Amino acid sequence: MSDSAQERYRVGYALAAKKQQSFIQPSLIEHSRQRGIDLIKLDPTKPLLEQGKLDCVIHKLYDDDWKQNLRGFREKCPNVPVIDSPEDIERLHNRVSMLEVITQLKFPVSESERFGVPKQVVVMDPSALSGGGGLGELEFPVIAKPLDADGSAKSHKMFLIYDQEGMKILKAPIVLQEFVNHGGVIFKVYVVGDYVKCVKRRSLPDISEEKIGTSKGSLPFSQISNLTAQEDKNKEYGEDRSLEKVEMPPSRFLEELAKAMRKSMGLNLFNFDVIRDARDANRYLVIDINYFPGYAKMPSYEPVLTDFFWGVVTRKNHV
């Protein structure tokens, strides 16, 4: 059937320039077009009601003017899905409320696999960082992360802290999270509606008891990433062959966990990072949750997203 003959749907997108460049690839536009879906670039500075018929809106903008624009549109067009609600997304912009999503899941997802989050404390008082009172129940080494997780460059500045001396470079408010040895592997789980895909990535290497006793100060994650990149120079076509033998978490476990998180958060587009405790192969810890991640890095992202758009515009697939 030709494009003109079949019913077509309009999915509007409002994304920052960098996000638009990575996500709205020609391959995705074409895949969607063949399915009867036209991806429409929205102007966030103009009322959505003046930008033509829309069957769905997807977005990743957080300024107040956009939120007001979106609010007005939702009031006038309550039946048009907005992916996702700014109020629900907001929860992921704070590293405490983000992981509370996991701690508030009250039921065991699996009889054998267990899930949770690393122990963490929030330090609001700058004097606690220099005075030695910031750790609470934690022990060194710890990971230091900014409290805000809004996607800014500042929010990505993280450190591995080996001792009290290393704490002196930190600025409050900051989240201190226990470091859990996890075999140097992180599992990134992408969620697109009902679809769940897990990929393996290199992570921080395990820290031996001996190294804990001899390492001093702090190490920025960017420096650790550079060290890992040097080790990875021999990778072919971007594939890390050292990960080939690493066993994936059970897919059923990840699917059930993703389903529970999706229901709890009310979100359709997110990913979460999981590590497997090196001391207990059945214990998995969620360490991060991101809204609308870099899906273009996910294998076969075009048909996955197109299927999701189709499910949304035909009212079959969104929370």
Side-chain angles (χ1 to χ4, degrees), residues 13-24 41 44 59-62:
Y13 61 88
L15 305 169
K18 189 175 179 181
K19 184 70 178 177
Q20 180 181 313
Q21 186 177 2
S22 66
F23 181 71
I24 306 294
K41 181 180 178 180
H59 69 104
K60 193 178 183 180
L61 297 175
Y62 304 125

Side-chain angles (χ1 to χ4, degrees), residues 196-248:
V196 179
K197 176 69 176 180
C198 180
V199 298
K200 295 175 278 192
R201 293 285 183 268
R202 294 284 296 278
S203 179
L204 302 182
D206 287 352
I207 303 175
S208 65
E209 290 293 331
E210 179 185 2
K211 191 170 183 180
I212 289 174
T214 58
S215 298
K216 304 292 183 184
S218 63
L219 196 60
F221 270 35
S222 57
Q223 203 168 321
I224 299 169
S225 299
N226 289 340
L227 289 173
T228 305
Q230 285 294 109
E231 295 171 9
D232 290 352
K233 276 195 172 179
N234 294 330
K235 290 192 301 183
E236 188 175 4
Y237 305 118
E239 294 177 5
D240 190 342
R241 297 194 170 184
S242 66
L243 296 183
E244 284 182 1
K245 295 179 181 178
V246 174
E247 186 178 348
M248 285 283 203

Side-chain angles (χ1 to χ4, degrees), residues 7-18:
E7 181 180 5
R8 304 197 63 76
Y9 296 95
R10 288 166 50 94
V11 172
Y13 61 88
L15 305 169
K18 189 175 179 181

Side-chain angles (χ1 to χ4, degrees), residues 27-319:
S27 54
L28 178 64
I29 293 172
E30 179 60 17
H31 222 100
S32 297
R33 186 191 67 77
Q34 291 183 7
R35 194 74 180 271
I37 298 169
D38 297 318
L39 299 180
I40 309 297
K41 181 180 178 180
L42 300 173
D43 183 342
T45 66
K46 296 180 180 178
L48 289 174
L49 291 166
E50 297 176 7
Q51 299 189 52
K53 169 183 169 286
L54 294 171
D55 298 291
C56 171
V57 173
I58 62 170
H59 69 104
K60 193 178 183 180
L61 297 175
Y62 304 125
D63 61 273
D64 290 337
D65 288 343
W66 168 250
K67 289 178 183 176
Q68 185 62 38
N69 192 351
L70 205 53
R71 194 175 299 121
F73 177 77
R74 291 161 79 190
E75 287 173 359
K76 297 285 187 180
C77 305
N79 294 323
V80 176
V82 171
I83 309 297
D84 278 303
S85 161
E87 296 78 17
D88 292 330
I89 298 169
E90 195 74 30
R91 188 176 186 178
L92 299 187
H93 290 169
N94 175 293
R95 285 198 163 88
V96 174
S97 59
M98 171 200 294
L99 293 188
E100 283 174 352
V101 169
I102 306 302
T103 59
Q104 290 169 2
L105 295 179
K106 296 295 186 185
F107 62 95
V109 172
S110 166
E111 291 181 9
S112 54
E113 290 77 25
R114 301 181 310 284
F115 69 92
V117 300
K119 296 175 186 174
Q120 63 180 27
V121 296
V122 182
V123 181
M124 303 298 290
D125 182 2
S127 64
L129 293 172
S130 55
L135 271 188
E137 297 179 358
L138 302 183
E139 296 179 358
F140 290 115
V142 296
I143 295 173
K145 304 178 177 183
L147 179 60
D148 291 332
D150 55 9
S152 64
K154 180 183 174 184
S155 73
H156 290 299
K157 290 188 73 173
M158 305 183 197
F159 296 86
L160 184 59
I161 308 294
Y162 289 109
D163 56 17
Q164 187 59 45
E165 186 67 25
M167 298 271 278
K168 292 181 180 178
I169 67 162
L170 303 178
K171 295 180 180 179
I174 196 96
V175 175
L176 301 178
Q177 193 177 83
E178 70 170 328
F179 179 83
V180 177
N181 280 338
H182 53 281
V185 179
I186 193 168
F187 302 100
K188 301 189 83 69
V189 185
Y190 293 90
V191 181
V192 184
D194 293 328
Y195 179 87
V196 179
K197 176 69 176 180
C198 180
V199 298
K200 295 175 278 192
R201 293 285 183 268
R202 294 284 296 278
S203 179
L204 302 182
D206 287 352
I207 303 175
S208 65
E209 290 293 331
E210 179 185 2
K211 191 170 183 180
I212 289 174
T214 58
S215 298
K216 304 292 183 184
S218 63
L219 196 60
F221 270 35
S222 57
Q223 203 168 321
I224 299 169
S225 299
N226 289 340
L227 289 173
T228 305
Q230 285 294 109
E231 295 171 9
D232 290 352
K233 276 195 172 179
N234 294 330
K235 290 192 301 183
E236 188 175 4
Y237 305 118
E239 294 177 5
D240 190 342
R241 297 194 170 184
S242 66
L243 296 183
E244 284 182 1
K245 295 179 181 178
V246 174
E247 186 178 348
M248 285 283 203
S251 56
R252 181 67 179 166
F253 164 67
L254 293 179
E255 287 165 4
E256 290 297 328
L257 179 55
K259 181 179 179 182
M261 291 171 64
R262 184 180 171 217
K263 183 178 179 182
S264 172
M265 296 188 295
L267 298 176
N268 294 278
L269 301 175
F270 62 95
N271 78 348
F272 57 100
D273 294 344
V274 180
I275 58 175
R276 179 163 48 211
D277 192 335
R279 299 164 300 180
D280 182 350
N282 288 322
R283 180 174 183 246
Y284 295 89
L285 300 172
V286 177
I287 59 172
D288 201 12
I289 309 172
N290 300 292
Y291 182 67
F292 208 146
Y295 283 117
K297 298 174 186 175
M298 186 179 75
S300 303
Y301 96 105
E302 299 93 341
V304 171
L305 268 296
T306 298
D307 285 348
F308 172 72
F309 295 151
W310 180 261
V312 170
V313 297
T314 56
R315 307 298 190 270
K316 295 172 185 173
N317 183 21
H318 65 94
V319 289

